[in-house]
């Protein structure tokens, strides 16, 4: 297990050793170096260093406001860093965003989707936007809609704006998978997903990593991370407190116990909320 402390961050797009293709040589699917983001006087992400090995199922956990979503947004090209560098399979996300996004599939938190399209229309648009062949898009879209149990909604002409939260998560995952990325970054992918759909989702994600892909999920549910992930990082106050294999980070305890030990927790005294049940 490693612990990481904040340090001055290099500028976005700074120098790095590069391979013959002009991209930084790396054994990591995602590599963050000195990643930093400020909003005025507030430091949201404080010089994060993190490497996610290729082929791993990586969990990112932390309390609300820890900087998880901000860090992932910078890592995937959705939010420009104040400093530092993000590499996806050796490609600098902010120096060569088009190349980076070819190998990235992203399900961000609070994903905004076109409200006046059906799920199938959304996938068709998304695939053509990525310049995928029309026949490939049609075949993959149909298969994804079937496996993710969105076929009935499509047959009824249900618009994405009428989808439930769980259905929106599923169609968002479909857009992330459509172009066969090498790295999936998923922010709370199981939120509002029913148990049957969650089992299907898990099967899809396990097949993805078995085929050599890499997955990063951000979640507040420790039991979910423990059941899925082989590596994990705990982040709080914009810094990585611990990262490594699941067993290294847990240290013989549950992930929840280790999380509370590192992050801290407020204790409820005997006199607190004494009026409840009064």
């Amino acid at each position: 297990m490693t612990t990481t402390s904040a340090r001055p961050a290099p500028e976005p797009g700074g120098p790095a050793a590069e391979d013959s293709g002009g991209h930084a040589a790396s054994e990591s699917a995602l590599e963050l170096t000195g990643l930093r983001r400020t909003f005025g006087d507030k430091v949201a992400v404080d010089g994060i260093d993190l490497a996610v090995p290729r082929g791993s199922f990586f969990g990112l956990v932390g309390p609300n406001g820890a900087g998880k979503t901000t860090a992932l947004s910078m890592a995937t090209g959705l939010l420009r860093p104040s400093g530092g560098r993000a590499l996806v399979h050796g490609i600098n996300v902010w120096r060569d965003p088009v190349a980076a996004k070819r190998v990235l599939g992203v399900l961000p938190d609070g994903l905004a989707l076109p409200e006046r399209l059906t799920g199938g229309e959304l996938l068709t648009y998304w695939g053509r936007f990525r310049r995928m062949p029309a026949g490939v898009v049609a075949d993959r879209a149909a298969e994804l809609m079937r496996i993710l149990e969105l076929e009935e909604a499509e047959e009824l002409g249900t618009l994405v704006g009428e989808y439930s939260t769980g259905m929106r998560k599923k169609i968002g995952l479909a857009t992330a998978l459509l172009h066969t990325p090498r790295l999936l970054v998923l922010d709370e992918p199981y939120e509002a997903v029913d148990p049957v759909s969650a089992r299907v989702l898990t099967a899809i994600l396990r097949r993805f990593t078995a085929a050599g892909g890499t997955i990063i999920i951000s979640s507040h549910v420790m039991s979910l991370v423990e059941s899925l992930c082989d590596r994990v990082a705990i982040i709080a106050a914009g810094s990585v407190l611990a990262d490594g294999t699941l067993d290294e980070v847990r240290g013989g305890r549950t992930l929840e116990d280790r999380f509370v030990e590192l992050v801290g927790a407020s204790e409820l005294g005997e006199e607190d909320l004494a009026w409840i049940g009064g």
Side-chain angles (χ1 to χ4, degrees):
M1 180 181 69
T2 61
T3 56
T4 307
S5 59
R7 58 178 178 77
E11 291 303 310
E18 295 185 342
D19 60 24
S20 58
H23 299 136
S26 174
E27 292 301 315
S28 300
L30 177 67
E31 186 175 349
L32 308 180
T33 306
L35 201 64
R36 180 178 175 85
R37 176 70 193 198
T38 58
F39 296 95
D41 295 331
K42 176 178 173 57
V43 179
V45 174
D46 195 11
I48 282 180
D49 294 329
L50 194 66
V52 178
R54 298 186 186 195
S56 61
F57 204 137
F58 193 97
L60 188 64
V61 299
N64 291 327
K68 303 186 303 299
T69 295
T70 301
L72 292 180
S73 295
M74 290 189 288
T76 56
L78 298 176
L79 178 67
R80 182 171 290 277
S82 302
R85 186 179 64 212
L87 303 179
V88 173
H89 281 273
I91 305 168
N92 191 306
V93 172
W94 290 98
R95 182 181 291 172
D96 195 353
V98 174
K101 289 173 183 179
R102 287 194 189 104
V103 297
L104 259 176
V106 183
L107 176 62
D109 185 39
L111 175 65
L113 297 168
E115 302 286 292
R116 304 301 298 173
L117 299 177
T118 67
E121 290 170 343
L122 171 59
L123 292 178
T124 299
Y125 167 80
W126 192 247
R128 299 302 291 149
F129 179 77
R130 285 186 171 272
R131 299 183 180 178
M132 296 169 60
V136 172
V137 173
D139 289 344
R140 291 182 183 176
E143 187 172 16
L144 284 165
M145 294 292 285
R146 175 178 58 80
I147 291 172
L148 291 170
E149 300 174 328
L150 295 172
E151 269 188 322
E152 182 178 353
E154 189 65 18
E155 291 170 359
L156 294 172
T158 306
L159 302 177
V160 170
E162 300 168 338
Y163 275 15
S164 68
T165 301
M167 291 169 70
R168 292 173 73 90
K169 284 287 184 179
K170 291 194 285 186
I171 196 64
L173 177 64
T175 65
L177 286 167
L178 186 66
H179 61 293
T180 59
R182 298 167 66 189
L183 169 63
L184 278 177
V185 179
L186 312 175
D187 201 343
E188 297 288 354
Y190 286 83
E191 182 183 31
V193 175
D194 65 82
V196 174
S197 296
R199 181 169 295 190
V200 172
L201 175 56
T202 297
I204 293 171
L205 299 184
R206 291 199 184 282
R207 179 169 296 184
F208 184 85
T209 54
T214 308
I215 297 174
I216 301 170
I217 66 166
S218 171
S219 179
H220 291 99
V221 184
M222 300 296 157
S223 59
L224 173 68
V225 173
E226 285 186 291
S227 67
L228 290 176
C229 300
D230 50 71
R231 299 186 68 88
V232 66
I234 297 175
I235 183 173
S239 298
V240 175
L241 304 184
D243 78 275
T245 67
L246 183 61
D247 287 340
E248 286 172 342
V249 172
R250 288 187 300 192
R253 288 159 287 179
T254 66
L255 183 59
E256 181 175 339
D257 287 342
R258 180 62 172 151
F259 177 89
V260 171
E261 177 188 348
L262 289 172
V263 174
S266 300
E267 297 294 333
L268 187 65
E270 291 184 6
E271 300 302 318
D272 292 326
L273 302 179
W275 47 270
I276 289 181

